[in-house]
């Protein structure tokens, strides 16, 4: 099946500025606010070809996402895989776009038809319904940032990398590992980069997640009800930070099973848990093949922010985190 049509930038003018000049200036501002070095390395970090970044509206998560995108090494990239969760329809397994191009206010990005067809040829992937693709924000929110960084990296549009958009559905741990293995050959290719789309804890009654550790012990989480008085112990936002830190520690461990077990225990509402899980599984396979290469194949978190600091059960917040992995 040949890729057809251009996916419109459906969230422009709502989740982010649709005016090209205003959007470009905003992204420049976010990127300029990030230090010029992280963990003792200048940015972009050489070999940092895999990142995790959030996908909320830019007024909320744009500053956090800038840390991942400024670290991202696109210097050798010929294509960028973008993996995100499905918010608009229920999906088991993984699915591929049917579009040939993705529109952004800054310019169009071309889908890598050859790679899409290779993946489709495995028989393991579904197709994303066009309506679900257009409605989904988890992939789109990364494309203006990606276009900006591509334009900063390459002098000519003829050199711009293609993209490989993939939605990752509600898979169990073993299924994530199978999809991770499918991506290993692409991850070995030095001309490929990967963007993983995920927010972290969604806390509040509207998210059906109100975990609280009254004694500061996340091993003993309670769940607050609408009628629960304002806690007199540690503020709720401290529990949210603790729960997120456990999830980030599990991701940074490089052990896929630890991440799955952590979420099973805390029930943390990490919406991109499955894209993270698939990419972690691929990185873990690479690490097994090259155990002598220390410092590679594991995520390092460089930024953590929240949309607000929750004090009361009537409040809500979404957490954002940025990380990179060297391959």
């Amino acid at each position: 099946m040949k890729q057809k049509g251009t996916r419109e930038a459906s969230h422009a003018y709502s989740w982010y500025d649709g005016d090209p000049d205003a959007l470009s200036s905003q992204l420049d501002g976010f990127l300029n606010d990030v230090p010029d070095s992280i963990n003792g390395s200048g940015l972009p970090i050489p070999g940092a070809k895999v990142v995790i970044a959030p996908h909320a509206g830019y007024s909320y998560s744009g500053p956090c996402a800038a840390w991942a995108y400024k670290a991202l090494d696109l210097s050798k990239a010929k294509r960028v895989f973008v993996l995100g969760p499905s918010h608009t329809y229920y999906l088991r397994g993984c699915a591929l776009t049917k579009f040939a191009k993705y529109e952004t206010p800054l310019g169009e990005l071309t889908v890598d038809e050859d790679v899409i067809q290779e993946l489709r040829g495995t028989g393991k992937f579904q197709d994303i319904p066009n309506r679900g693709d257009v409605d989904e924000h988890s992939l789109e929110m990364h494309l203006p940032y990606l276009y900006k960084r591509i334009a900063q990296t390459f002098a000519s549009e003829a050199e711009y990398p293609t993209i490989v958009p993939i939605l990752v559905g509600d898979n169990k741990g073993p299924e994530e590992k199978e999809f991770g293995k499918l991506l290993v050959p692409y991850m070995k290719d030095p001309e490929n980069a990967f963007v993983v789309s995920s927010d972290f804890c969604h806390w509040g009654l509207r998210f059906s997640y109100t975990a609280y550790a009254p004694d500061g012990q996340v091993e003993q989480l309670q769940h607050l009800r609408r009628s629960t008085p304002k806690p007199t112990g540690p503020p709720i936002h401290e529990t949210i930070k603790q729960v997120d830190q456990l999830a980030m520690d599990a991701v940074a461990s490089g052990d896929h099973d630890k991440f799955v077990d952590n979420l099973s225990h805390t029930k943390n509402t990490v919406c991109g848990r499955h894209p993270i899980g698939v990419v972690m599984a691929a990185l873990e396979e690479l690490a097994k093949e090259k155990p002598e290469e220390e410092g590679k194949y594991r995520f390092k978190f460089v930024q953590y922010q929240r949309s607000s600091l929750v004090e009361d059960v009537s409040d809500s917040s979404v957490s954002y985190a940025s990380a990179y992995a060297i391959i």
Side-chain angles (χ1 to χ4, degrees):
M1 181 183 70
K2 190 173 177 61
Q3 306 298 117
K4 294 181 181 179
T6 299
R7 182 204 178 276
E8 65 182 284
S10 58
H11 292 74
Y13 294 103
S14 55
W15 289 53
Y16 57 91
D17 202 316
D19 178 80
D21 292 335
L23 176 60
S24 182
S25 178
Q26 182 187 47
L27 295 180
D28 284 337
F30 291 152
L31 290 166
N32 289 338
D33 286 341
V34 177
D36 291 330
S37 65
I38 297 176
N39 296 331
S41 177
L43 302 183
I45 294 173
K49 299 177 184 177
V50 189
V51 296
I52 296 171
H55 55 232
Y58 284 174
S59 62
Y60 294 100
S61 70
C64 182
W67 287 72
Y69 277 98
K70 196 163 181 176
L72 179 62
D73 182 3
L74 294 172
S75 60
K76 298 179 181 178
K78 294 290 183 64
R79 65 197 59 80
V80 182
F81 290 69
V82 186
L83 296 89
S86 176
H87 295 86
T88 61
Y89 74 102
Y90 183 75
L91 171 66
R92 285 297 300 270
C94 294
L96 304 167
T97 187
K98 296 189 289 183
F99 286 108
K101 294 179 181 292
Y102 275 62
E103 175 192 45
T104 85
L106 306 180
E108 291 182 343
L109 291 167
T110 300
V111 172
D112 194 307
E113 176 139 11
D114 290 343
V115 171
I116 289 287
Q117 298 300 355
E118 285 176 5
L119 293 173
R120 191 173 279 135
T122 66
K124 302 292 186 181
F125 291 82
Q126 303 174 42
D127 290 322
I128 306 172
N130 283 355
R131 186 72 254 167
D133 204 333
V134 171
D135 290 344
E136 180 57 57
H137 66 273
S138 74
L139 302 177
E140 178 183 344
M141 296 306 295
H142 289 277
L143 302 185
Y145 251 125
L146 186 57
Y147 193 98
K148 164 65 70 173
R149 288 287 295 107
I150 287 172
Q152 289 177 340
T153 305
F154 298 95
S156 166
E157 288 188 13
E159 300 177 283
Y160 283 13
T162 54
I163 60 170
V164 184
I166 303 175
L167 283 186
V168 182
D170 185 15
N171 301 299
K172 298 185 184 301
E175 295 168 320
E176 291 177 359
K177 289 183 178 182
E178 288 304 310
F179 281 108
K181 288 179 181 178
L182 285 175
L183 292 183
V184 167
Y186 298 98
M187 204 168 272
K188 287 180 176 179
D189 187 336
E191 296 182 338
N192 292 334
F194 294 79
V195 172
V196 185
S197 176
S198 184
D199 297 335
F200 273 68
C201 184
H202 299 62
W203 197 99
L205 293 166
R206 66 191 181 102
F207 299 120
S208 301
Y209 188 75
T210 54
Y212 178 62
D215 299 318
Q217 302 296 319
V218 290
E219 296 80 10
Q220 302 173 3
L221 289 174
Q222 301 176 2
H223 288 275
L224 306 181
R225 299 182 179 182
R226 190 179 302 274
S227 59
T228 304
K230 182 177 179 178
T232 56
I236 295 171
H237 62 79
E238 285 298 324
T239 293
I240 296 171
K241 184 177 180 180
Q242 286 179 290
V243 168
D244 277 331
Q245 189 61 58
L246 288 175
M248 290 187 288
D249 288 347
V251 172
S253 75
D255 187 331
H256 175 269
D257 290 340
K258 283 187 178 179
F259 181 54
V260 173
D261 291 345
N262 166 260
L263 296 181
S264 177
H265 173 67
T266 66
K267 311 301 182 187
N268 193 356
T269 46
V270 179
C271 61
R273 63 180 63 194
H274 299 300
I276 292 174
V278 167
V279 172
M280 279 189 71
L283 289 170
E284 192 170 5
E285 287 294 318
L286 287 179
K288 289 176 183 176
E289 292 181 12
K290 299 181 179 181
E292 72 281 359
E293 295 188 353
E294 294 185 14
K296 289 188 174 183
Y297 314 121
R298 292 188 181 188
F299 282 109
K300 295 181 180 180
F301 283 86
V302 292
Q303 187 64 194
Y304 173 72
Q305 299 178 11
R306 285 161 287 179
S307 60
S308 64
L309 297 180
V310 174
E311 300 278 354
D312 188 85
V313 71
S314 61
D315 299 333
S316 66
S317 77
V318 179
S319 304
Y320 314 119
S322 282
Y324 70 86
I326 295 173
I327 57 176

